[in-house]
Amino acid sequence: MIVFDVVLMVTLWVLAVGAVSQADLFKSVVLFVTMGVVVAVAWARLGAADLAMVEVAVGAGITGALFLNTLGHLEQRPGERGEGEDTSHL
Amino acid sequence: MIVVAALVLGSFSAALIRIWRGPSGADRMMGAQLFGSSGAATVLVLAAMLEDWSLIDVALVFASLAAVTVVAFVERTERASMPQ
Amino acid sequence: MRGLPLISASIWVPLLGALFVSLWPRRYAARCGIGASIASAAAALLLVVAVALSGPRRERLGGWGAPAGIELWIDGFSALMIAMTAVVGGVVSVYALAYFRAKDSSGDPQRQEVEGRREAYFWRIWLLVWAAINGVFASADLFNLYVTLEVVGLGAVSLVALAGGRALPAAMRYLFVTLSGSLLYLLGVVLIYSEVGTLALFQAGESLIAGTLAQAALVVMVVGLALKTALFPLHFWLPPAHADAPAAVSALLSALVIKVTFYILVRLWVVVFPASVSQPVGEALMLLGLIAVIWGSWRALRQQRLKMLVAYSTVAQVGYLFLVFGLGPRADGSAGWQAGAYFAISHACAKGAMFLAAGAIARAVGHDQIEEMRGVGARLALPFFAFGLGGISLMGLPPSGGYVSKWLFITSAAATGDVIVVIAVALGGLLAAAYVFRVLALAFERAPREGAPSLRPIPATLGWSALVLGAVAVALGLAAGAPLALLEVGLPFGQSLAEGVTP
Amino acid sequence: MIPSQIYVIAGAGLVSVGVFAWVVRRHLVRRMMGVNILSTGVFMMLIGGARRVEGGPDGVPQAMVLTGIVVAVSATALGLALIQRIYDQRGERSVEERGPM
């Protein structure tokens, strides 16, 4: 079991390092989602079943979807509306 | 049990390789999906080993994760390929 | 009065207000919002009066006790902070009513749409933040503090982002700062929990023993909260965030939001950590506070933009707040802590007044470059007068709240022999005088005959509400007895805090 | 070595990765990711550390982490919304590696 713990945690750490150090943003988002899955497995291993469920649904699922949505937004050209400074609201 | 664990480990490493190597976004996404399924399998194995059968529910949520990410991914590719 | 759930009412009323503002159609947002603000202020003041009359209160939400349930606890210190929130929040709400309303003149429908949306979001988020601030002051539980703190932080970031334009990067940086600050705090909570096995503030304080773990917990929590309070080397995020936000929001941030983390730090110091652990950290914080006073005032003096000047002045005033962590434990009785708490409320009123006035001035002039405000003072007498009133309190001139708190600082510093604190407090006052008078002198110069800046008309409410806050800041010096008496209710800084006074 | 100690150490490792991302990385999306990793690390330390105190699983830290995950996701949503607005209003350079932050 110890072997399992160690392997799990090493995978987790490698995924985390990969997520923040990849040049390709999409790749790091995928690594991030994967990391969420591994974290959920870790919660399950620690006997926190409800946490594992929330982590998969929220920590990996919704957060991952939000990140993907943002990437999609950033791949479009910057919008035409509201360019420049808005100094009237000091 | 050992055989099952080894199989799960194998699919884990396959998923990791796909995610890391790419080459296209879809490959990586499929890798992440495989990772999710392997995660579900791991949780099931864990459930058997720890004899904590409430973990089966967790595996169900793992499976539904795939839907969420795929929808987000497809929406993103749709949007990126839209005419500007 | 004893049985009424006044504490939870002070949280629920603004929360319900936020809900109502969100549910009603957008064009009623302002009316609904001001009504909810008045109700929230009334609920909070009722609670404060009840505490002043009948002592500290405790509430168990849903009838659950300390280990599993959420406990709310109000003593004199939290009551004073809630009163500060009610007064500043009420005045700023009135100001915001005019501030966001006055933009409809351009006639461009798209612009009006944006403005209407901005106004509606302001009221929703601000009422939410108000509820969360009261929640922080009422919490008696380390984790509850984390949750409410996080809500305050996220709300504050959204409020900054309302301004759009260059406020967006400032808001982003503020978001990172506030997130990592509260995560560091949470890390400290984790360490404390793993040591004592409880989250309740007073129980944790009873069973936490001095050691490496307590030291580590204290250090992470202090770094996190000092980051969120913008203590000197960690203040980099504050000036852009506070200066680029809408004026009503700047006032709320400087007056209330940074006091929230200060409050938590004081509680940790007095209740949770043993003196042997917190003493050296307190000395370090005091030193940083001294540097902050000088550095912030100096930078304020050099600013070109009025709101930037006020924001750097906040950096300096935060320095005074952190002096209490060195002085408080050393001074006899609770004089040092009283100085800090009194400084917090008088700074809230003074800085609120200054930001509101700066917003009114900037609205009238069209920008906030100080150099180009030559000679506008006579035509904008009301806001500049409010700015000056706030400035009096910052300088510590009698009679003002700033004077009382600085006097308390200096007496407790003199009693413990900290000459350097006395010098720094005096020097900080001088520098404050320099930057306030720099603005006032320029504004009341004789206007150049040609090229005098043309002014846009502004609603009188803007000037008057700033003036009211300035007047409160001065009045805090004239009637210091009542707040100081309230501060002693339930002996928040006494030795007998944990046992003697539970209702 | 007790298994839960591994989790505490791994949590500390995640915290350091998160701090690294927050301090060194410049792209806003990546920094947001770093904050998420940081919070995951803190939660892992919390759960691992809690098991060391008690025999079985302890309910209070799990409730804390549950709340914490929800808080983290709302913070992430706010941050990503801000990033999209910054990109809309101020263009590509302000979210990129060499942005103004």
Side-chain angles (χ1 to χ4, degrees), chain A residues 84-90, chain C residues 99 103 111 118 166 247 307:
Chain A
E85 301 294 329
D86 184 4
T87 52
S88 61
H89 251 280
L90 290 166
Chain C
Y99 183 81
K103 299 287 292 177
R111 180 108 191 130
R118 189 170 282 172
R166 73 181 156 192
K307 286 188 72 182

Side-chain angles (χ1 to χ4, degrees), chain C residues 245-284:
Chain C
V249 174
S250 317
L252 293 174
L253 293 182
S254 267
L256 304 178
V257 172
I258 56 168
K259 303 298 177 344
V260 165
T261 38
F262 169 71
Y263 169 87
I264 297 177
L265 270 176
V266 171
R267 280 284 192 227
L268 289 179
W269 233 262
V270 178
V271 180
V272 177
F273 287 100
S276 60
V277 173
S278 57
Q279 191 73 25
V281 184
E283 302 287 328

Side-chain angles (χ1 to χ4, degrees), chain C residues 44 80-90 126 130 133-134 137 256:
Chain C
L80 193 66
M81 292 289 147
I82 286 184
M84 165 188 93
T85 312
V87 170
V88 177
W126 155 228
W130 193 341
I133 290 177
N134 281 348
F137 293 145
L256 304 178

